[in-house]
Amino acid sequence: AIQLTQSPSSLSASVGDRVTLTCRASQDISSALAWYQQKPGKAPKLLIYDASYLESGVPSRFSGSGSGTDFTLTISSLQPEDFATYYCQQFNSYLLTFGPGTKVDIK
Amino acid sequence: QVQLQESGPGLVKPSETLSLTCTVSGGSITNSYWSWIRQPPGKGLEWIGYIYSSGSTNYNPSLKSRVTISVDTSTNQFSLQLSSVTVADTAIYFCARAYATTMVTLDFWGQGTAVAVSS
């Protein structure tokens, strides 16, 4: 089964910072990667699909890139509402896997 | 706008079967995929499985022997059964629409329901 790793596991940042999160797959998944944002006590929210496509209604400060095994989620200017945990998710051979998450908190 | 709502017992005894239902509103359950995901307290997300409205399923290999997902198009609901539960199955259980393009992503989610396994 394909495994996903995310780095860092947590980071502290300030409002206005540019933040880059990384997700690595254990084998080539082409562009079959999505990113989610989860706030405490809430369901995850889809941000990015197919590695780089912005879900409708998601602010343009979020962007995704990568293909194969290495992917990034970038927040161009961190806003107060962006402090949350971010998960990547892959789809391969009809199965889904989530990464362990990156928690972004306030410096 | 599609909305999902989980329902079911909040407490299940060890060795028994966990049963949850997800009710879909704001759209038809037909011609779509639907999924269950869980999140143990303080931990990450674990995909359980998904079902197409026709009834075809795919499950997480680590849970496959204990999981059954079914769909009832007449009531716009789909369900999860997890057998032989242990304390390790204590989690928030989410249902979601699994939107299929070139990949499957989870674009609409229920709020989640907490299930504790305890005697």
Side-chain angles (χ1 to χ4, degrees):
Chain A
I2 294 177
Q3 307 295 322
L4 296 176
T5 57
Q6 290 186 243
S7 60
S9 57
S10 65
L11 70 88
S12 296
S14 300
V15 172
D17 283 354
R18 181 181 180 89
V19 171
T20 299
L21 312 181
T22 297
C23 179
R24 177 164 290 173
S26 59
Q27 62 190 76
D28 189 338
I29 58 170
S30 185
S31 61
L33 191 98
W35 290 94
Y36 299 83
Q37 175 194 68
Q38 187 180 32
K39 297 180 180 179
K42 300 294 187 181
K45 174 187 175 182
L46 177 64
L47 301 175
I48 301 284
Y49 63 95
D50 288 348
S52 61
Y53 289 84
L54 196 67
E55 174 71 351
S56 176
V58 174
S60 59
R61 63 180 179 272
F62 291 92
S63 63
S65 65
S67 66
T69 60
D70 293 318
F71 302 86
T72 60
L73 173 70
T74 299
I75 309 172
S76 61
S77 177
L78 199 65
Q79 298 302 300
E81 60 268 30
D82 300 337
F83 292 97
T85 301
Y86 293 84
Y87 295 94
C88 56
Q89 172 244 311
Q90 67 85 28
F91 177 74
N92 181 269
S93 299
Y94 303 102
L95 304 177
L96 283 73
T97 310
F98 288 96
T102 293
K103 184 177 181 180
V104 177
D105 61 21
I106 302 172
K107 183 182 288 184
Chain B
Q1 174 102 344
V2 174
Q3 294 183 316
L4 299 95
Q5 178 68 58
E6 305 89 351
S7 59
L11 181 64
V12 182
K13 290 182 168 55
S15 80
E16 295 189 344
T17 295
L18 179 160
S19 296
L20 297 174
T21 296
C22 183
T23 301
V24 178
S25 60
S28 174
I29 203 169
T30 56
N31 301 315
S32 290
Y33 291 88
W34 305 92
S35 187
W36 288 97
I37 306 96
R38 70 181 183 179
Q39 185 169 37
K43 297 189 177 181
L45 300 165
E46 181 179 31
W47 171 68
I48 299 171
Y50 63 77
I51 188 166
Y52 189 63
S53 52
S54 64
S56 64
T57 55
N58 276 286
Y59 299 134
N60 185 327
S62 69
L63 298 170
K64 187 174 183 177
S65 64
R66 299 194 292 129
V67 172
T68 302
I69 298 176
S70 58
V71 64
D72 186 343
T73 55
S74 68
T75 59
N76 243 32
Q77 295 177 326
F78 64 104
S79 298
L80 169 70
Q81 288 194 308
L82 182 65
S83 64
S84 304
V85 298
T86 71
V87 293
D89 295 309
T90 293
I92 305 291
Y93 285 77
F94 296 99
C95 60
R97 188 177 80 163
Y99 184 64
T101 55
T102 56
M103 68 174 292
V104 170
T105 53
L106 305 165
D107 61 348
F108 291 100
W109 293 65
Q111 64 187 21
T113 188
V115 179
V117 178
S118 175
S119 54

